[in-house]
Amino acid sequence: MPMPIAAAPASWTSAAAMGAGDVDQQPLPLLLRPALLHGVSAAAHILLAVAVAGRFVFAAGSQRRKEPPAAAARGAAFRWCRLALRATWALAVSEVFLAAYSLVSWYLDNNSGGGGGTGWGPPDALTDQADAAARAVAWLLLAAYLQLEYRRRGEERFPAPLRLWWALFLLLSVLAVTVHAATGLQYKLPVPALSWACDAVSVLAGAVLLVAGFAAERGAAGGSASEEPLLNGANGTASAENGGDDSIDASLFTGAGFLSLLTFSWMGPLFAVGYRKTLDLNDVPDLDHGDSVAGVLPLFKANLEALTGDGSAGQKVTAFKLTRALVLTVWWHIVVTALYALIYSLAIYVGPYLIDSLVQYLNGDERYAGKGKLLVVTFIAAKVCECLSKRHWFFQIQRAGIRARSALVSVVYQKGLSLSSSSRQSRSSGEMINIISVDASRVDLFSWYIHDLWLMPLQVAMALFILYSTLGVASLAALGATIVVMLANVPPMQFQEKFQQKLMDCKDVRMKAISEILRNMRILKLQGWEMKFLSKIIDLRKTEESWLKKYLYTWTMATFVFWGAPTFVAVVTFGACMLLGISLDSGKVLSALATFRVLQEPIYNLPDTISMIIQTKVALERIASFLCLEELPMDAVQRLPSGNSDIAIEVSSGCFSWDASAEVPTLKDLNFKARQGMQVAVCGTVGSGKSSLLSCILGEMPKLSGEVKTCGTMAYVSQSAWIQSGKIQDNILFGKEMDSEKYGRVLESCSLKKDLEILPFGDETVIGERGINLSGGQKQRIQIARALYQDADIYLFDDPFSAVDAHTGSHLFKECLLGALGSKTVVYVTHQIEFLPAADLILVMKGGRIAQAGKYDEILGSGEELKELVGAHQDALTALDVIDVASRVSEPFSSSGAAKLSRSLSSVEEKDKQNGNEDVGKVQSGQLVQEEEREKGRVGFWVYWKYLTLAYGGVLVPFVLIAQILFQVLQIASNYWMAWASPVSKDAEPPVSMSRLIYVFVTLAGASSLCILIRALFLVTAAYKTATLLFDKMHMSIFRAPMSFFDSTPSGRILNRASADQSDVDTSIAEQMGSVAFSSIQLVGIIAVMSQVAWQVFVVFVPLTMACFWYQRYYIDTARELQRLVGVCKAPIIQHFAESVTGSTTIRSFGKENQFVSTNSHLIDAFSRPKFYNAAAREWLCFRLYTLSCLTFAFCLIFLISLPTGLIDPAIAGLAVTYGLNLNTLQVTVVWCMCNLENKIISVERILQYISIPEEPPLSMSGDKLSYNWPPEGEIQLHNLHVRYAPQLPFVLEGLTFTFPGAMKTGIVGRTGSGKSTLIQALFRIVDPTIGRILVDGVNICTIGLHDLRSRLSIIPQDPTMFEGTVRSNLDPLGEYNDNQIWEALDNCQLGDEVRKKELKLDSPVIENGENWSVGQRQLVCLGRVTLKRTKILVLDEATASVDTTTDNLIQKTLRENFSEATVITIAHRITSVLGSDMVLLLDDGVAVERDTPAKLLEDRSSLFSKLVAEYTMRATHT
């Protein structure tokens, strides 16, 4: 029998002895003798052990403890101390392992005769063993002492003697390396691998300890070294024992003791809570500081900046530099887990290495007489090391993944806040969401695979070494087969990389489209376009599915290759043995088979590892590409502190352009100054550059030349209101402390008090996403209130008065701009000419230039631009001789009349509408947006059943199971055959010939591989079909959901299901479900084989298995809720990111970047908390399952060695042990796969939740079809119409009876909140009448399909919407019209000339949200859509709010020309927009107060309508 590797120390001693006596070789000098080296080391470690033991005794009698340092002082020193403690424990464990390994090797070698009779020559053998034992004991004592002191003491430095010892130890370690190198190089004597391993561990640990010791010394302050205790208290986040308020650590992990950390018992309190109740996020403890964003982000940013250089660092970020920065950030976890992985790899090969010895012992070989117990102890010790190392390896590497993900999401968020306008246009919100939801998670997931790159060759090398020791040169065949298998995987992996990239690109495009659709779902439903846009999503998904299919089937082929790889390697190896005439006894066969089984792990992991490397590389490249995007230049505006200058804003020779490559800049030749306290008005026609002017002052617009200076803090109110999800109060305070008096004044100035009184929770009411449950006017007033509360020096208003009615606009202008901001510098853009005279300076914009500048009276007669605007305004006012009427009613109206009319400022119908939608969530709470729903308790069986039977009715599932069972049976049969048909020893007669042995094995192995291929194909086919069906069903359900669902559901929740959950369904769920079945089948197979030789194993196996399942049930209650919390806590990160990017201009203008970064960090930590404790819970369970399975294996081994020799077949017993080696792993795998599946299946559960959303009424009715020209007249009759949004809410419209005559123009007016928009929503059946009915040309609209109705109506909504695409696709999304018709529509809506200027004409690009078009131009595009559609009924909902008066007049003219035969219903805040109507309906509190022609209503001086008109004209003429 060849000498085992464990005998290496003996061989070294023998070689040294022979070298000393050989005349041909130079004898070893005394200084290089092993005895001297080991003797000095042993003596030093014995002294250390005695000193530490004495310190223990001394410490027991002295409980003196210094007060811990202040939190500010606990920083670097504390981290270095913790590093030293961990390094000491790592070294102690290594020394114990090496000592045990050395002892077992020496014992086996000394008693097996393998050493050639040389034995261990004194004193070398004794000193070697004494050194190993002394090192193990000394380092264990030191580690234990440091751990105890670390928890009890309150200081942060190590005593000088300890630092001196670490220096001495490093010196001894380096000396040992030198001696061994000299021995091998100069004297040509072999140095055993064990010694080199010991040297490597010692040098590395010594260096770490020495650096940590002296770094901690520098980091701590004060105190005498001679009086220092060894370490400070156990945690670095709270002053635990000083009686302060923070006496208990929020993190369970931070304060845990050594044994608690070792066994994961520190998770006990959380499990106890999870077992008693359903966990909520508040029940989950905080993170350790090092795992939080605050702990990891500064380090990561410092590392990244160091690698990319100063200045424009973002331009230099590459995937490689990003990887290096991540590695440097989590290097300690990588190093520690590498050590764990090394110990694990060594431990798993102990069994295959010793299996031959066990078979020989059971066969009665005299060489192994009396060694049965030692073999059993060695087997068990290896299993214990395997358990501990693997569990802590996995836990620590997951911590590294959490840290990496937190760091990446944080830097991506910060980058998103600082992107320039061109960068924002180049990346859609969907793409950016994918970066934080998919790509960052991919990097997190890669942490599992990070060590496979070097572990794989190491494990293969160890396997080949064992094969060489048992099969000789035939192992070269195994090496060749392994290389062939690995090379065979290169082409599939190359394809997989390509498919993965394509898949992610397609996902980006799809998510971008879904994100845009969700933002604009209301307009899609009003226009009846949702199914058209759903078909676009389905088409995008089909493209994605084509790559998904290729990806999955490529993965299937790679999986087949590597599942069959161990079998292929075994066939090649045994075939080589037959050809080379190498005898195969059962011990060698079983050792080889056990090695092949262990070799399965690196080979099985190879395709996944390569796939993960590819995916992670793609993810890092995408993140690096995003980090390289251009940022907003910080020097575009020179910002001076408050009080430094009399000039608040100064622009000199300014030239700006949104597109730097454009020939004509957006703004040119800008020169103006605004002194402190000036009111500056900006006016001009649509597209003249008004909003761009504000952008250049803010520094948001790329500067080509010139200079911009501002002095003081700034506040900005955007034209399109940006409102955060959350409470109204939080939106107004915007991070500032509450000052009740100031807050009240702001609410009063912005006319918000009455609104808040009506809302169910006042200013605590939660606003839906993008302010969805507020009217346009309310959103603008909240924006203004937010600006006022900041008390800035400079205010920029971008036409906020367009979204409010005439009275409210006047109130805001007087109370805010002229009142509260009277002493501030204000620049306001407006289309309301009546607000211009109050300005100190008016800037009239035309074609990107300041055409006129000065006071109102000065410039009115000096140029045509302002004169044109004022003239158009006056023309509008002269309609129906309004001025005369105004003069008659102005006196009695006066201020008291205004006070009476102002009563209804408060309530808004949109708000009431959304209050109605609160019923979608939890009506009892009254809030619109609820915490995300999550199932509680066990995942129902119906979820599994639904998933299994969705594809082909579940018909493929039995075939998958049958294929796996056949595979397992054939695998066991092939191994059983090899064990039975091989002779027990060289002397025994083989039962069959060598050729027959191999042929039968090849047949059985080949059949088993074929089963794997069939299983994989069936599994992937079912998975692909199920993923496709779930996607289609969920999206159909979402698109058919009522509008109330979208109002109450943040888009982040929907996007999370469409992105992360769908990704799990695409690639993970089927594999997890298969793993449960496959591992269970394998476990049954192992127990069946073990029971062949020791049926008594069931005595232990059954109760231990029951204990395993009890642990699993105890665990799953907590883990399932933690996993659900992970899913729930992910959506807020996505939503906050999307909101922040959308409102980045506002955030930057207020200087609130740090506040939002802090919020993002809090959300990331809230996501990491359940993720961290979920990982710890998993390892808690696995550790206990490993321990129980080790007991089963130990019982089997003890039973085998206790039986008399010859009672059982040694070969079959050896086969049972060979399978038993995998028992612990497989038993854990079964339970863990079940738990993991229950966690993963939550993605299916969440998708099924959305599949069951209540849907709108049918799109079309199957009954009588409407005529093609319905409605022919366009008459609308309202009969006793009552509308409310939920049964428990009051009516918004009460008993409304009115007829809109066909082919006539009807204007609807009324204060904000009177029910105008609710009436329109009822007409379009966004909400159905509760009582009463609506007839259109005699047809009850509730009896026809939604599309039949909505496709026959047209609407121009208040919020103008454009979709990403082209001008053509925006005007004609359904592709129903030719180019001539589209050009005619563009000309009608005053955009024809603008589009003709563009190079691509109708194919000119429109970016996401139409951001490259002004708000006014977007409104004109909406007008163009309806002129194309030409329906008999047209609704204008504040359609001209965002355009100037001149353009408004042109639009009214266009409508009169194109819709002369149509019924036109107009809701407008501009009274002039309804004065030309045939009929006016005035609503108040949901009731029709007045209805008649405008002329008749104006004749009645007491009518509310005449008072509204008078108020408007009075404002227009006297403001």
Side-chain angles (χ1 to χ4, degrees):
M1 173 183 169
M3 182 180 67
I5 185 69
S11 65
W12 182 36
T13 307
S14 302
M18 288 187 291
D22 196 327
V23 295
D24 296 329
Q25 292 190 15
Q26 186 179 359
L28 276 175
L30 177 63
L31 292 177
L32 297 185
R33 287 277 181 171
L36 180 63
L37 182 65
H38 291 303
V40 171
S41 176
H45 281 86
I46 288 171
L47 287 174
L48 173 66
V50 171
V52 174
R55 185 72 176 177
F56 262 126
V57 175
F58 172 76
S62 173
Q63 296 300 322
R64 176 187 62 81
R65 174 178 54 83
K66 294 184 179 182
E67 290 298 322
R74 301 172 62 88
F78 171 75
R79 289 194 292 272
W80 285 113
C81 291
R82 188 161 59 178
L83 172 63
L85 177 65
R86 290 172 174 174
T88 305
W89 271 114
L91 182 58
V93 171
S94 302
E95 294 292 358
V96 170
F97 176 79
L98 292 171
Y101 193 85
S102 176
L103 180 63
V104 171
S105 301
W106 169 72
Y107 184 84
L108 290 175
D109 183 61
N110 200 40
N111 291 274
S112 65
T118 60
W120 285 71
D124 291 348
L126 291 177
T127 55
D128 192 11
Q129 294 305 314
D131 182 27
R135 291 164 72 100
V137 171
W139 284 105
L140 269 179
L141 279 172
L142 181 58
Y145 174 69
L146 287 178
Q147 181 70 38
L148 292 173
E149 290 300 293
Y150 186 66
R151 290 186 56 77
R152 189 170 70 239
R153 300 280 183 173
E155 298 184 356
E156 307 242 357
R157 297 194 298 182
F158 300 104
L162 184 57
R163 296 197 295 274
L164 183 63
W165 159 250
W166 284 338
L168 177 63
F169 174 69
L170 180 60
L171 181 64
L172 285 173
S173 302
V174 173
L175 182 63
V177 172
T178 306
V179 168
H180 292 155
T183 302
L185 296 174
Q186 185 173 352
Y187 294 93
K188 309 299 181 186
L189 294 177
V191 179
L194 191 67
S195 297
W196 285 118
C198 182
D199 291 344
V201 171
S202 299
V203 171
L204 179 62
V208 171
L209 288 170
L210 193 61
V211 170
F214 284 94
E217 168 69 14
R218 289 194 301 272
S224 170
S226 61
E227 294 181 354
E228 294 168 358
L230 288 178
L231 272 174
N232 64 323
N235 73 81
T237 59
S239 302
E241 298 171 317
N242 62 355
D245 294 335
D246 299 325
S247 57
I248 298 175
D249 284 317
S251 171
L252 296 177
F253 176 77
T254 305
F258 172 69
L259 288 177
S260 181
L261 289 172
L262 190 69
T263 60
F264 297 96
S265 299
W266 53 273
M267 282 291 295
L270 185 59
F271 278 114
V273 175
Y275 191 68
R276 289 195 310 269
K277 56 168 281 197
T278 299
L279 282 182
D280 291 315
L281 188 60
N282 291 334
D283 298 317
V284 182
D286 285 338
L287 295 166
D288 178 74
H289 176 73
D291 296 319
S292 67
V293 174
V296 73
L297 183 59
L299 181 60
F300 174 71
K301 289 183 74 174
N303 290 330
L304 188 60
E305 288 169 6
L307 291 169
T308 55
D310 297 328
S312 58
Q315 302 298 326
K316 302 178 184 177
V317 176
T318 63
F320 177 68
K321 289 178 180 177
L322 197 60
T323 306
R324 285 184 62 192
L326 286 171
V327 170
L328 289 172
T329 304
V330 295
W331 71 269
W332 168 250
H333 291 84
I334 294 174
V335 170
V336 169
T337 52
L339 178 61
Y340 289 144
L342 180 62
I343 295 171
Y344 170 76
S345 299
L346 294 171
I348 60 174
Y349 279 102
V350 170
Y353 182 67
L354 294 179
I355 195 73
D356 188 17
S357 301
L358 180 64
V359 171
Q360 299 308 321
Y361 168 81
L362 294 175
N363 195 39
D365 192 322
E366 294 180 358
R367 294 176 300 169
Y368 294 94
K371 293 185 180 177
K373 293 179 181 178
L374 180 61
L375 286 170
V376 169
V377 170
T378 306
F379 271 112
I380 300 304
K383 282 293 171 190
V384 171
C385 288
E386 176 188 339
C387 169
L388 289 172
S389 59
K390 187 173 186 179
R391 302 283 48 99
H392 286 278
W393 167 18
F394 283 5
F395 174 62
Q396 293 295 343
I397 209 64
Q398 286 177 89
R399 288 185 72 198
I402 288 172
R403 291 186 177 195
R405 186 189 182 283
S406 296
L408 288 174
V409 174
S410 296
V411 296
V412 168
Y413 179 84
Q414 292 183 16
K415 183 73 177 184
L417 278 185
S418 61
L419 289 180
S420 66
S421 59
S422 58
S423 297
R424 282 206 306 274
Q425 291 176 16
S426 68
R427 296 297 178 99
S428 70
S429 57
E431 288 176 307
M432 290 189 271
I433 285 170
N434 264 349
I435 287 175
I436 62 169
S437 67
V438 178
D439 294 325
S441 298
R442 195 81 69 191
V443 176
D444 178 2
L445 189 61
F446 177 71
S447 61
W448 287 89
Y449 300 85
I450 194 169
H451 293 305
D452 287 2
L453 297 172
W454 62 270
L455 276 179
M456 210 168 294
L458 174 67
Q459 291 179 346
V460 170
M462 288 193 291
L464 293 174
F465 177 80
I466 294 174
L467 290 174
Y468 182 78
S469 66
T470 54
L471 301 179
V473 293
S475 62
L476 296 177
L479 174 61
T482 304
I483 292 173
V484 167
V485 166
M486 291 183 173
L487 290 177
N489 199 50
V490 172
M493 288 304 108
Q494 288 177 335
F495 282 117
Q496 205 167 1
E497 179 178 14
K498 173 187 173 185
F499 298 153
Q500 172 69 20
Q501 180 66 59
K502 295 288 187 183
L503 188 62
M504 291 306 298
D505 290 343
C506 291
K507 188 189 291 283
D508 277 345
V509 174
R510 174 173 62 84
M511 291 305 298
K512 181 178 180 179
I514 292 175
S515 179
E516 184 176 45
I517 287 169
L518 291 177
R519 277 196 305 274
N520 300 301
M521 185 58 78
R522 182 177 299 277
I523 186 63
L524 294 184
K525 287 192 174 293
L526 288 170
Q527 301 281 10
W529 291 343
E530 66 265 40
M531 289 300 106
K532 173 66 176 179
F533 279 76
L534 173 60
S535 68
K536 289 184 178 181
I537 297 297
I538 297 297
D539 289 341
L540 292 173
R541 173 66 179 178
K542 283 179 180 176
T543 307
E544 184 183 345
E545 283 172 358
S546 67
W547 294 112
L548 175 63
K549 196 171 190 177
K550 293 173 183 175
Y551 177 84
L552 288 174
Y553 280 102
T554 305
W555 175 84
T556 297
M557 295 310 297
T559 302
F560 161 67
V561 168
F562 284 95
W563 268 86
T567 302
F568 174 71
V569 174
V571 167
V572 171
T573 305
F574 291 146
C577 289
M578 181 181 72
L579 295 175
L580 297 172
I582 298 172
S583 62
L584 290 175
D585 58 56
S586 57
K588 291 179 179 180
V589 168
L590 290 172
S591 179
L593 288 175
T595 304
F596 294 147
R597 289 177 68 83
V598 177
L599 193 60
Q600 283 179 347
E601 183 175 352
I603 293 182
Y604 282 177
N605 286 344
L606 183 59
D608 284 343
T609 302
I610 295 175
S611 175
M612 277 308 302
I613 291 172
I614 292 167
Q615 294 177 38
T616 307
K617 176 174 174 284
V618 171
L620 286 168
E621 286 173 348
R622 285 157 52 89
I623 294 172
S625 171
F626 181 79
L627 294 179
C628 286
L629 290 176
E630 180 188 31
E631 294 186 7
L632 207 65
M634 301 304 294
D635 58 351
V637 177
Q638 183 180 345
R639 294 179 172 89
L640 302 175
S642 301
N644 278 28
S645 172
D646 292 334
I647 306 297
I649 304 168
E650 181 177 4
V651 181
S652 306
S653 306
C655 187
F656 305 85
S657 178
W658 290 115
D659 183 4
S661 61
E663 293 182 7
V664 181
T666 310
L667 298 175
K668 47 194 174 293
D669 304 329
L670 290 190
N671 290 280
F672 77 92
K673 291 181 182 180
R675 296 187 174 278
Q676 297 287 354
M678 281 184 69
Q679 304 276 318
V680 181
V682 182
C683 61
T685 57
V686 170
S688 59
K690 301 182 297 297
S691 297
S692 296
L693 178 64
L694 297 189
S695 295
C696 79
I697 296 172
L698 289 168
E700 296 290 325
M701 193 174 185
K703 182 175 69 176
L704 303 181
S705 63
E707 190 175 35
V708 181
K709 292 181 182 178
T710 62
C711 179
T713 56
M714 200 171 288
Y716 170 64
V717 178
S718 57
Q719 186 173 12
S720 299
W722 178 74
I723 302 291
Q724 284 181 274
S725 301
K727 296 176 183 176
I728 292 176
Q729 183 186 101
D730 295 337
N731 268 278
I732 295 174
L733 297 181
F734 210 45
K736 282 214 161 192
E737 293 293 327
M738 167 61 84
D739 179 339
S740 300
E741 185 180 344
K742 177 181 174 183
Y743 185 72
R745 289 199 308 269
V746 167
L747 293 183
E748 189 67 47
S749 298
C750 297
S751 302
L752 280 170
K753 282 201 169 183
K754 292 289 182 63
D755 297 86
L756 299 182
E757 288 172 6
I758 289 179
L759 292 172
F761 291 87
D763 61 359
E764 295 288 321
T765 300
V766 174
I767 300 174
E769 191 174 21
R770 301 185 307 279
I772 198 77
N773 50 329
L774 299 173
S775 72
Q778 269 185 319
K779 285 188 281 189
Q780 282 293 11
R781 282 183 280 143
I782 288 174
Q783 273 210 128
I784 296 171
R786 176 172 64 204
L788 260 61
Y789 194 82
Q790 297 303 306
D791 197 23
D793 299 312
I794 302 170
Y795 286 82
L796 304 181
F797 289 85
D798 193 354
D799 197 19
F801 312 112
S802 295
V804 297
D805 60 55
H807 174 83
T808 308
S810 292
H811 179 89
L812 289 174
F813 186 77
K814 291 173 183 175
E815 296 297 325
C816 296
L817 269 71
L818 302 182
L821 303 179
S823 62
K824 306 286 187 179
T825 305
V826 181
V827 180
Y828 60 96
V829 171
T830 184
H831 287 131
Q832 276 84 348
I833 300 299
E834 58 270 22
F835 293 152
L836 296 181
D840 301 315
L841 173 66
I842 299 172
L843 303 178
V844 184
M845 300 296 298
K846 185 173 183 180
R849 284 188 170 91
I850 299 176
Q852 290 180 282
K855 285 185 174 290
Y856 183 81
D857 295 331
E858 294 173 2
I859 64 173
L860 187 58
S862 63
E864 295 299 320
E865 289 79 8
L866 182 60
K867 191 179 291 183
E868 287 178 7
L869 294 173
V870 173
H873 179 62
Q874 296 297 336
D875 290 343
L877 290 176
T878 56
L880 299 179
D881 201 22
V882 171
I883 303 300
D884 292 341
V885 176
S887 64
R888 293 200 306 268
V889 301
S890 58
E891 187 175 343
F893 179 76
S894 69
S895 59
S896 60
K900 290 178 183 178
L901 283 171
S902 65
R903 60 181 174 78
S904 60
L905 281 171
S906 51
S907 68
V908 286
E909 76 282 2
E910 286 88 344
K911 173 264 298 179
D912 286 338
K913 166 192 69 179
Q914 300 308 334
N915 287 345
N917 289 338
E918 291 156 18
D919 189 47
V920 177
K922 296 180 181 176
V923 172
Q924 297 84 350
S925 77
Q927 294 284 25
L928 168 68
V929 181
Q930 303 297 320
E931 288 187 13
E932 183 167 1
E933 71 285 354
R934 62 183 176 106
E935 301 292 338
K936 298 193 176 183
R938 295 184 61 179
V939 178
F941 175 74
W942 69 274
V943 177
Y944 297 93
W945 184 253
K946 185 78 173 176
Y947 182 83
L948 286 170
T949 57
L950 198 59
Y952 310 109
V955 72
L956 293 181
V957 176
F959 290 102
V960 173
L961 294 176
I962 291 170
Q964 177 64 27
I965 291 170
L966 284 175
F967 165 75
Q968 190 63 30
V969 169
L970 291 170
Q971 276 277 54
I972 292 173
S974 63
N975 293 341
Y976 204 98
W977 166 258
M978 290 299 291
W980 175 83
S982 302
V984 177
S985 63
K986 296 178 182 178
D987 304 327
E989 184 70 23
V992 297
S993 65
M994 175 73 84
S995 58
R996 186 177 180 187
L997 174 75
I998 300 300
Y999 292 152
V1000 172
F1001 176 72
V1002 169
T1003 303
L1004 292 172
S1008 70
S1009 297
L1010 183 62
C1011 290
I1012 281 297
L1013 177 61
I1014 294 170
R1015 184 209 79 184
L1017 287 172
F1018 280 150
L1019 183 67
V1020 165
T1021 302
Y1024 172 76
K1025 183 67 173 178
T1026 304
T1028 303
L1029 290 172
L1030 283 174
F1031 180 92
D1032 292 345
K1033 287 175 177 287
M1034 178 175 72
H1035 282 73
M1036 174 59 79
S1037 180
I1038 290 171
F1039 276 69
R1040 289 286 293 116
M1043 198 60 224
S1044 56
F1045 168 76
F1046 299 97
D1047 292 341
S1048 60
T1049 305
S1051 61
R1053 296 180 189 172
I1054 304 173
L1055 293 172
N1056 202 14
R1057 283 166 171 80
S1059 178
D1061 289 329
Q1062 186 63 46
S1063 290
D1064 280 343
V1065 171
D1066 285 344
T1067 57
S1068 300
I1069 305 289
E1071 182 186 356
Q1072 291 294 335
M1073 199 164 274
S1075 296
V1076 171
F1078 306 154
S1079 55
S1080 300
I1081 292 168
Q1082 285 181 292
L1083 181 61
V1084 171
I1086 286 180
I1087 295 301
V1089 171
M1090 292 179 70
S1091 65
Q1092 290 292 305
V1093 295
W1095 61 265
Q1096 293 85 351
V1097 77
F1098 281 107
V1099 175
V1100 176
F1101 176 74
V1102 172
L1104 290 183
T1105 300
M1106 292 174 64
C1108 283
F1109 281 101
W1110 181 87
Y1111 270 124
Q1112 187 257 350
R1113 292 311 332 153
Y1114 184 70
Y1115 155 86
I1116 199 63
D1117 288 332
T1118 299
R1120 179 180 53 239
E1121 300 309 321
L1122 287 172
Q1123 184 64 29
R1124 282 175 173 152
L1125 286 172
V1126 169
V1128 168
C1129 292
K1130 191 171 187 178
I1133 298 175
I1134 296 173
Q1135 182 185 341
H1136 183 252
F1137 180 75
E1139 277 189 350
S1140 299
V1141 171
T1142 304
S1144 58
T1145 300
T1146 302
I1147 294 168
R1148 285 194 295 262
S1149 66
F1150 282 87
K1152 297 291 184 180
E1153 295 95 329
N1154 290 339
Q1155 175 188 322
F1156 277 76
V1157 167
S1158 176
T1159 302
N1160 181 64
S1161 299
H1162 174 75
L1163 291 173
I1164 293 171
D1165 286 343
F1167 171 78
S1168 297
R1169 278 162 54 202
K1171 191 173 177 65
F1172 170 84
Y1173 286 100
N1174 195 26
R1178 181 186 306 133
E1179 302 312 323
W1180 176 93
L1181 174 69
C1182 290
F1183 175 81
R1184 281 147 183 78
L1185 298 184
Y1186 256 80
T1187 303
L1188 293 174
S1189 59
C1190 283
L1191 291 176
T1192 306
F1193 183 57
F1195 178 85
C1196 181
L1197 286 173
I1198 293 169
F1199 180 79
L1200 287 177
I1201 67 168
S1202 302
L1203 293 175
T1205 304
L1207 187 62
I1208 56 172
D1209 185 346
I1212 303 304
L1215 180 65
V1217 175
T1218 301
Y1219 272 87
L1221 288 172
N1222 283 348
L1223 179 64
N1224 60 338
T1225 301
L1226 207 54
Q1227 201 166 1
V1228 170
T1229 302
V1230 170
V1231 178
W1232 166 236
C1233 283
M1234 292 172 66
C1235 297
N1236 200 34
L1237 174 61
E1238 188 159 357
N1239 287 340
K1240 284 287 186 183
I1241 202 73
I1242 291 169
S1243 290
V1244 177
E1245 181 184 55
R1246 284 158 57 82
I1247 288 175
L1248 290 175
Q1249 278 178 350
Y1250 274 25
I1251 288 177
S1252 59
I1253 299 169
E1255 64 178 39
E1256 285 184 306
L1259 297 177
S1260 58
M1261 295 292 190
S1262 57
D1264 294 334
K1265 297 289 184 183
L1266 294 169
S1267 62
Y1268 76 94
N1269 65 338
W1270 181 88
E1273 302 297 331
E1275 182 183 71
I1276 303 171
Q1277 296 174 297
L1278 311 179
H1279 292 289
N1280 191 29
L1281 189 65
H1282 289 70
V1283 177
R1284 62 182 174 189
Y1285 291 93
Q1288 83 286 355
L1289 292 174
F1291 285 106
V1292 182
L1293 296 178
E1294 297 186 67
L1296 188 60
T1297 300
F1298 183 75
T1299 298
F1300 294 90
M1304 292 181 70
K1305 315 294 183 287
T1306 303
I1308 303 179
V1309 295
R1311 299 295 185 187
T1312 305
S1314 56
K1316 303 186 297 293
S1317 291
T1318 303
L1319 174 58
I1320 301 307
Q1321 290 191 82
L1323 177 61
F1324 281 81
R1325 291 188 66 191
I1326 297 295
V1327 58
D1328 278 332
T1330 308
I1331 303 172
R1333 55 185 180 156
I1334 302 175
L1335 304 179
V1336 176
D1337 280 359
V1339 177
N1340 188 343
I1341 63 171
C1342 291
T1343 63
I1344 61 176
L1346 293 181
H1347 274 195
D1348 295 336
L1349 171 67
R1350 293 170 183 171
S1351 63
R1352 313 297 177 96
L1353 308 177
S1354 293
I1355 184 170
I1356 303 178
Q1358 182 174 358
D1359 296 322
T1361 302
M1362 289 182 75
F1363 301 93
E1364 184 172 11
T1366 63
V1367 174
R1368 176 187 281 106
S1369 67
N1370 267 276
L1371 285 165
D1372 182 22
L1374 306 184
E1376 298 174 333
Y1377 306 99
N1378 58 40
D1379 284 7
N1380 290 333
Q1381 291 171 305
I1382 294 175
W1383 279 115
E1384 183 183 352
L1386 284 171
D1387 289 331
N1388 285 334
C1389 66
Q1390 312 302 316
L1391 275 179
D1393 293 339
E1394 182 70 27
V1395 175
R1396 287 187 180 91
K1397 290 178 189 174
K1398 298 182 180 292
E1399 184 180 350
L1400 297 177
K1401 304 295 190 291
L1402 292 179
D1403 293 319
S1404 299
V1406 176
I1407 65 170
E1408 190 177 18
N1409 296 329
E1411 294 289 346
N1412 56 339
W1413 295 73
S1414 74
V1415 177
Q1417 288 171 327
R1418 284 179 240 165
Q1419 195 77 71
L1420 294 177
V1421 169
C1422 294
L1423 175 64
R1425 289 178 187 146
V1426 300
T1427 56
L1428 268 178
K1429 202 171 177 182
R1430 295 286 177 92
T1431 57
K1432 288 293 291 184
I1433 297 176
L1434 170 64
V1435 177
L1436 307 175
D1437 188 359
E1438 299 295 342
T1440 59
S1442 301
V1443 298
D1444 59 272
T1445 310
T1446 305
T1447 309
D1448 185 9
N1449 293 342
L1450 290 171
I1451 290 173
Q1452 298 301 330
K1453 179 183 176 184
T1454 301
L1455 292 174
R1456 286 194 295 272
E1457 292 174 356
N1458 289 275
F1459 292 91
S1460 57
E1461 301 299 321
T1463 302
V1464 180
I1465 300 173
T1466 304
I1467 297 175
H1469 289 149
R1470 283 183 183 162
I1471 297 299
T1472 54
S1473 297
V1474 296
L1475 288 178
S1477 302
D1478 301 310
M1479 180 76 69
V1480 170
L1481 171 66
L1482 193 147
L1483 294 179
D1484 191 47
D1485 287 341
V1487 177
V1489 180
E1490 297 174 357
R1491 67 193 84 185
D1492 213 325
T1493 63
K1496 288 187 177 180
L1497 288 175
L1498 287 171
E1499 287 174 5
D1500 182 2
R1501 295 171 59 185
S1502 64
S1503 72
L1504 290 175
F1505 181 70
S1506 65
K1507 292 180 180 179
L1508 277 173
V1509 173
E1511 180 186 355
Y1512 180 82
T1513 54
M1514 188 172 59
R1515 182 188 80 174
T1517 55
H1518 301 300
T1519 297

